[in-house]
Amino acid sequence: MIHTLSQAQEAIALLKKLIAIPSFSKQEDKTGDCIANFLEEKGIPFQRVKNNIWATNKYFDSQKPTILLNSHHDTVKPNASYTLDPFDPIEKDGRLYGLGSNDAGGCLVSLISTFLHFYDKSELKYNFVLATTAEEEISGREGLEMIIPHLPPIDFAIVGEPTQMQMAVAEKGLLVVDCVTRGKAGHAARNEGENAIYKAMRDIEWIRNYEFPEVSEMLGPIKMTVTIIQAGSQHNVVPDTCTFTVDVRTTDKYSNEDVLLVLKNGLLSEVNARSVRLKPSSIPLNHPIVEAGKSLGLTTYGSPTTSDQALLDVPSLKMGPGDSARSHSADEFIYLEEIEKGIERYIEILEKIV
């Protein structure tokens, strides 16, 4: 049994400080300062670019493979259903309430604690890089993506997101597509014009029914959902344009570029992707870190949600304390016990390979 009670208490104290500091995406400078101060107090050298902070273990050796421990310190804005102060870290009935406590503060402080555990060990088989990053909630370009070129070469990564400490060995990618259907304006009282809404309906029905032939073993089928539609200016004018947005959750069976080409070939509308950079990600089931988790009784699954894994070009495992179902919810919380057990499990799984 790894004794993590004092480590958990320290991690929880740090999490309370982070909760008390508003850190919406692109506004994480103060939580960045908090994390920097924490590392300074520990005597750990670190680097910072904007609101991203990273550090390497004391005996970093460029001849050894390197593990990235990553999680984010930005949050979404609190939703209207909050009954508690989202920035007041309330501890009650074994829970810690506060915005970002579950997504992904508990993961972040648990990974920081795990990094500290291995920081000054001299005979490790692997190096460690800790990266606490920004803009994850908006898939921004000034988060993990910005600092990857500054990091040493990474062999594999653990990305801290709430998974109840089970192993998400694959994750769907995200493709957001904006479509424009064009018609011709006319008076609604006469048989004039060409209704762009009717033309868009054909495409929307195609999206609703289309099935990609290849289905991922871990992630299932690609899922496409029309989530926004806009058309028309007033009741008596036939609309000449209709715009709609499609949320596409991609899998390892197709690249985002391939999926975009299928849409362009299948739709009458103009099709434009906002980005193709949020790729599906995975780690082989026979990877040493996955095998180590299995030996501890952990389960594997494919995650339908997107995280900073999408920005990594190396095998990555998504895993952390907390429950994804609580993310972005009103009166968000994490169980204190989850943090203690999360630190313990991170250390257990890593000690099997390092």
Side-chain angles (χ1 to χ4, degrees):
M1 177 66 69
I2 298 168
H3 299 289
T4 55
L5 180 58
S6 61
Q7 293 167 283
Q9 290 171 338
E10 182 178 64
I12 290 165
L14 175 59
L15 179 53
K16 287 179 178 179
K17 290 181 181 179
L18 294 172
I19 289 170
I21 304 169
S23 57
F24 308 136
S25 302
K26 290 188 175 294
Q27 301 173 39
E28 314 94 338
D29 54 309
K30 298 297 190 296
T31 46
D33 294 343
C34 180
I35 294 165
N37 291 337
F38 178 85
L39 293 175
E40 281 180 350
E41 290 171 2
K42 293 289 183 182
I44 296 175
F46 62 88
Q47 297 184 65
R48 179 171 184 169
V49 171
K50 293 200 176 249
N51 297 326
N52 306 288
I53 294 169
W54 69 96
T56 59
N57 58 302
K58 185 174 182 178
Y59 297 101
F60 185 93
D61 181 349
S62 61
Q63 301 303 308
K64 294 179 180 179
T66 298
I67 302 169
L68 172 67
L69 305 179
N70 166 247
S71 193
H72 64 95
H73 57 101
D74 63 316
T75 72
V76 297
K77 293 185 177 181
N79 67 53
S81 299
Y82 256 85
T83 64
L84 302 173
D85 181 347
F87 306 112
D88 185 7
I90 298 171
E91 191 175 322
K92 182 180 179 182
D93 298 329
R95 299 176 174 184
L96 178 60
Y97 290 88
L99 184 65
S101 57
N102 180 78
D103 183 15
C107 302
L108 176 68
V109 298
S110 296
L111 283 174
I112 291 174
S113 184
T114 301
F115 174 77
L116 293 177
H117 176 84
F118 291 105
Y119 174 72
D120 58 2
K121 297 187 183 303
S122 60
E123 300 300 324
L124 299 175
K125 297 176 183 175
Y126 286 80
N127 300 308
F128 282 95
V129 174
L130 170 71
T132 68
T133 49
E135 296 194 11
E136 190 273 346
E137 295 291 2
I138 59 170
S139 301
R141 293 183 179 273
E142 295 188 344
L144 177 60
E145 184 176 32
M146 171 175 275
I147 67 167
I148 286 174
H150 300 280
L151 301 179
I154 303 298
D155 289 84
F156 75 89
I158 295 178
V159 176
E161 290 286 338
T163 69
Q164 298 181 303
M165 288 308 290
Q166 300 307 315
M167 299 187 293
V169 294
E171 176 187 88
K172 284 190 172 181
L174 174 62
L175 189 65
V176 180
V177 179
D178 294 310
C179 303
V180 181
T181 308
R182 302 195 185 279
K184 184 179 180 181
H187 198 296
R190 296 189 291 269
N191 190 23
E192 292 179 348
E194 186 179 7
N195 196 316
I197 293 176
Y198 296 158
K199 293 180 70 175
M201 286 169 62
R202 178 267 177 198
D203 280 356
I204 291 170
E205 192 65 14
W206 185 92
I207 291 166
R208 182 181 180 185
N209 294 316
Y210 184 79
E211 295 181 359
F212 285 83
E214 297 288 334
V215 176
S216 169
E217 182 178 348
M218 286 301 303
L219 296 170
I222 288 177
K223 189 175 188 303
M224 299 193 293
T225 308
V226 176
T227 53
I228 303 171
I229 185 167
Q230 296 173 325
S233 57
Q234 60 189 63
H235 76 90
N236 58 352
V237 178
V238 173
D240 60 356
T241 60
C242 179
T243 64
F244 60 94
T245 299
V246 191
D247 178 290
V248 187
R249 302 291 167 155
T250 57
T251 74
D252 52 330
K253 288 295 185 180
Y254 299 86
S255 70
N256 285 356
E257 290 83 357
D258 288 340
V259 172
L260 182 60
L261 184 61
V262 170
L263 284 168
K264 287 184 174 181
N265 289 336
L267 301 182
L268 300 175
S269 306
E270 298 173 14
V271 176
N272 293 287
R274 296 182 187 179
S275 169
V276 293
R277 51 193 266 277
L278 301 177
K279 307 177 295 296
S281 56
S282 64
I283 191 168
L285 292 178
N286 62 353
H287 192 282
I289 193 69
V290 179
E291 294 286 0
K294 289 177 183 177
S295 73
L296 295 171
L298 303 187
T299 60
T300 60
Y301 73 100
S303 173
T305 58
T306 302
S307 72
D308 274 344
Q309 271 188 296
L311 303 171
L312 295 168
D313 288 322
V314 297
S316 56
L317 177 68
K318 183 163 71 176
M319 177 180 174
D323 187 340
S324 181
R326 295 185 220 131
S327 299
H328 307 177
S329 63
D331 299 336
E332 180 184 348
F333 69 89
I334 189 167
Y335 288 101
L336 299 172
E337 184 182 45
E338 289 178 316
I339 295 174
E340 182 180 354
K341 289 185 175 178
I343 296 168
E344 183 175 304
R345 187 49 53 91
Y346 277 141
I347 292 173
E348 283 180 331
I349 193 173
L350 285 164
E351 282 193 335
K352 283 186 172 290
I353 65 170
V354 305

